[in-house]
Amino acid sequence: MTQFDHNEIVQSAIFEKGQLIGLMNFEQGHLSQSLLLNSQGELVYRFIRHMRTVNWLYSMGKTSKLNFSNQVPDEDSPNNRVVYRASEKKPFYEVVDHVSYHRLGDLYEFYAMVLRSFDQSGCQLFVDLDDNPDLVTHMPQQLIFNY
């Protein structure tokens, strides 16, 4: 079920098997927050969208396959390495756990918490190259592969 105001989405309810499991709130056509509910309809997690300027500085081998490695590098360095710099406004999601009242810094910290809840003994995780730099900081002891 979705609510509109002057042809602009304001709120959307998410149902699974006839039960409300989530709400998404929108501002100016963009998702502003999502609420994840438990089977009793109680709030479990709140995902709050914020915007920030992100600056990147990557120093890597010329053979790297990260999504921006086809750009012209800012500088060449010895040892067959290149340096890439980028800056852009990007959304990020703060996550609030309403059961333990713990505030998670970002969505990747939430992903790491969920992944740690599974028995990972003898397992390897595949993480997309675009997500790897953000997720690996929250799981430093976990073997992650992306090939």
Side-chain angles (χ1 to χ4, degrees), residues 113-143:
M113 180 187 72
V114 171
L115 288 170
R116 280 193 293 273
S117 70
F118 296 103
D119 178 20
Q120 298 176 18
S121 56
C123 295
Q124 294 178 330
L125 295 177
F126 173 83
V127 177
D128 189 272
L129 275 172
D130 294 340
D131 296 317
N132 199 11
D134 294 311
L135 183 60
V136 72
T137 60
H138 297 292
M139 302 183 75
Q141 303 303 316
Q142 177 66 43
L143 177 61

Side-chain angles (χ1 to χ4, degrees), residues 50-72:
H50 301 281
M51 292 297 288
R52 67 176 168 202
T53 300
V54 178
N55 299 307
W56 294 283
L57 174 65
Y58 289 102
S59 174
M60 65 191 76
K62 290 183 178 183
T63 59
S64 173
K65 298 295 183 196
L66 287 175
N67 67 355
F68 54 79
S69 60
N70 60 347
Q71 298 174 355
V72 177

